Amino acid sequence: MSQTEYDSYPPLFRPRRSPTLPSPDSDDFFNQQVPDFDPVPVIDSECINQKQLDEACREWGMFRLINHGIPLTLLNKLHDHAKKLFSLAYESKQASFTPPISYFWGTPGLTPSGVVIQRDARAQSQNFNWLEGFHVLLTPLSQLQYEDPMLDSFRCLLEEYGRHQTRLATTIFEALAKNLQLDSERTRAYLSTATGHLRVHRYPCCFEAEQLRAWGIDVHTDSSVLSILHEDEVGGLQVCSNNQWFDVKPQFDSLIVNLGDMMQAMSDDNYIGAKHRVKVNKHKERISVGYFVLPYEDTVIESSKYKPFTYADFRAEVQRDLKTVGFKIGLQKFKLSETF
């Protein structure tokens, strides 16, 4: 990439000097004894094996979904449009997007409308995440039309992709609810497809990853019920299981499903919210598209492990944590045995 090509990067992410290719031995910061195989369980969407699904959720909180029914042509078009839009000048991206499609960078900590949560002074020391993205509210998309043909084509692709994700999330959650023996009332209340939203991420190249101690996204769990990820073939996603980190191998024709904090609470901790992170790449940019779905805001989540709470309660605590300490504390604040 030439220096002018880095104009699409947020200023903080632009190389401070002409980038040089790193040596093969300079990746120690990221290669922390991660096994070179992909152990993530595989679930077939066309014929869900309830026992295999249960085991995957108990042991990993993550699984690979195959035969998902999303056309590869749609996935290719969505990624191509995302690359073109991310390649726009940084200032242009800031000016061109407003809700329901918002541009952000440096942090995944956003309000529901896509506004970055501003941190207090003592939380400013928390490192930036090496990413930029578009936060997409799916419900209002059909009411929007851009004059720019590229933006409007992107909107249409996002809307079509969102419909597929709504279908998949409903199917997966019904299978999970069956395993957990949730009654019909809770099954309906614990998943609100109207809350579904997308995050389209680009992880810029980072030639000084070790010096900056940079991560695309640092270790976290999602706040959702379910998260469904599609990624390109660059790789970088890692998942933690039994205190060991594993690379999740990129497969363009499959999806990665994460269980989030809400699913963990709903299951009385029988299922785990997947702890994961994203490495940066020194040579290649990475594109991913994540779908996140939540419970109805006023639905009380009942659990033997946690105090009763609504998603609105949980979100308020997470936003307070991000603002004051710079990271999410999450479910621990609602544990019956914990005192804060």
Side-chain angles (χ1 to χ4, degrees):
M1 294 177 70
S2 67
Q3 195 63 39
T4 55
E5 288 178 296
Y6 290 112
D7 288 346
S8 70
Y9 285 10
L12 189 66
F13 296 164
R14 297 169 189 170
R16 291 175 288 183
R17 56 181 182 274
S18 297
T20 56
L21 292 178
S23 70
D25 299 325
S26 64
D27 285 334
D28 292 342
F29 172 51
F30 296 109
N31 296 333
Q32 302 170 3
Q33 298 181 348
V34 175
D36 189 25
F37 64 96
D38 185 1
V40 176
V42 177
I43 300 296
D44 189 335
S45 179
E46 290 184 346
C47 183
I48 295 178
N49 184 303
Q50 294 289 147
K51 181 179 179 182
Q52 291 177 355
L53 178 64
D54 189 64
E55 290 174 354
C57 294
R58 290 177 185 273
E59 297 174 12
W60 290 89
M62 173 184 285
F63 54 88
R64 186 181 301 280
L65 194 70
I66 61 173
N67 294 324
H68 46 69
I70 303 178
L72 283 178
T73 52
L74 172 59
L75 296 173
N76 280 312
K77 288 179 181 178
L78 184 56
H79 279 258
D80 287 345
H81 276 66
K83 289 176 184 177
K84 290 175 183 176
L85 291 172
F86 279 126
S87 70
L88 296 174
Y90 165 69
E91 292 77 11
S92 176
K93 287 179 287 193
Q94 284 196 310
S96 299
F97 293 93
T98 56
I101 303 179
S102 306
Y103 173 75
F104 66 95
W105 68 276
T107 174
L110 309 177
T111 67
S113 63
V115 177
V116 171
I117 297 171
Q118 299 299 319
R119 294 181 287 187
D120 292 346
R122 64 174 180 154
Q124 293 290 341
S125 61
Q126 296 297 315
N127 291 333
F128 283 102
N129 292 272
W130 206 267
L131 86 167
E132 61 177 340
F134 299 114
H135 177 84
V136 183
L137 302 174
L138 288 171
T139 301
L141 272 187
S142 61
Q143 305 163 20
L144 179 70
Q145 188 165 6
Y146 288 104
E147 293 183 3
D148 185 311
M150 172 64 71
L151 295 185
D152 204 56
S153 179
F154 187 52
R155 176 193 65 81
C156 292
L157 291 169
L158 291 168
E159 190 176 6
E160 183 181 355
Y161 184 73
R163 286 194 292 268
H164 282 286
Q165 294 293 354
T166 297
R167 167 181 59 81
L168 290 170
T170 302
T171 299
I172 294 167
F173 184 73
E174 287 175 352
L176 296 175
K178 181 178 179 180
N179 277 342
L180 294 171
Q181 299 182 330
L182 297 180
D183 59 45
S184 58
E185 182 178 349
R186 283 193 292 173
T187 300
R188 286 192 300 270
Y190 279 176
L191 189 80
S192 170
T193 56
T195 67
H197 58 279
L198 300 175
R199 295 273 182 93
V200 185
H201 286 151
R202 177 172 79 162
Y203 298 86
C205 299
C206 183
F207 295 95
E208 300 176 281
E210 288 82 14
Q211 300 94 313
L212 297 172
R213 311 293 286 182
W215 287 90
I217 297 184
D218 212 339
V219 182
H220 69 288
T221 57
D222 294 340
S223 296
S224 58
V225 178
L226 295 172
S227 307
I228 307 177
L229 178 77
H230 185 262
E231 59 176 334
D232 63 16
E233 296 174 327
V234 172
L237 176 64
Q238 294 185 325
V239 61
C240 185
S241 179
N242 294 318
N243 297 315
Q244 184 171 7
W245 286 99
F246 297 88
D247 284 322
V248 178
K249 302 299 182 184
Q251 294 182 16
F252 195 79
D253 61 349
S254 70
L255 302 170
I256 295 295
V257 180
N258 294 337
L259 304 191
D261 297 328
M262 298 301 98
M263 193 71 243
Q264 178 170 327
M266 293 169 185
S267 72
D268 286 337
D269 287 354
N270 288 307
Y271 291 171
I272 58 175
K275 186 185 296 184
H276 55 290
R277 64 189 182 188
V278 178
K279 297 189 297 181
V280 292
N281 192 297
K282 300 176 183 179
H283 312 281
K284 298 178 180 179
E285 299 170 349
R286 174 178 181 264
I287 301 287
S288 68
V289 185
Y291 169 83
F292 305 86
V293 64
L294 310 169
Y296 287 92
E297 285 207 353
D298 58 352
T299 294
V300 177
I301 296 173
E302 300 171 350
S303 170
S304 64
K305 306 290 186 179
Y306 302 94
K307 296 174 284 188
F309 67 93
T310 65
Y311 180 73
D313 298 330
F314 184 85
R315 183 181 63 209
E317 287 297 326
V318 168
Q319 292 186 0
R320 187 177 296 111
D321 293 339
L322 292 175
K323 182 178 180 180
T324 57
V325 298
F327 57 89
K328 183 180 85 172
I329 296 173
L331 283 176
Q332 289 301 314
K333 279 200 167 184
F334 296 89
K335 272 277 192 182
L336 286 172
S337 59
E338 300 289 347
T339 303
F340 282 86

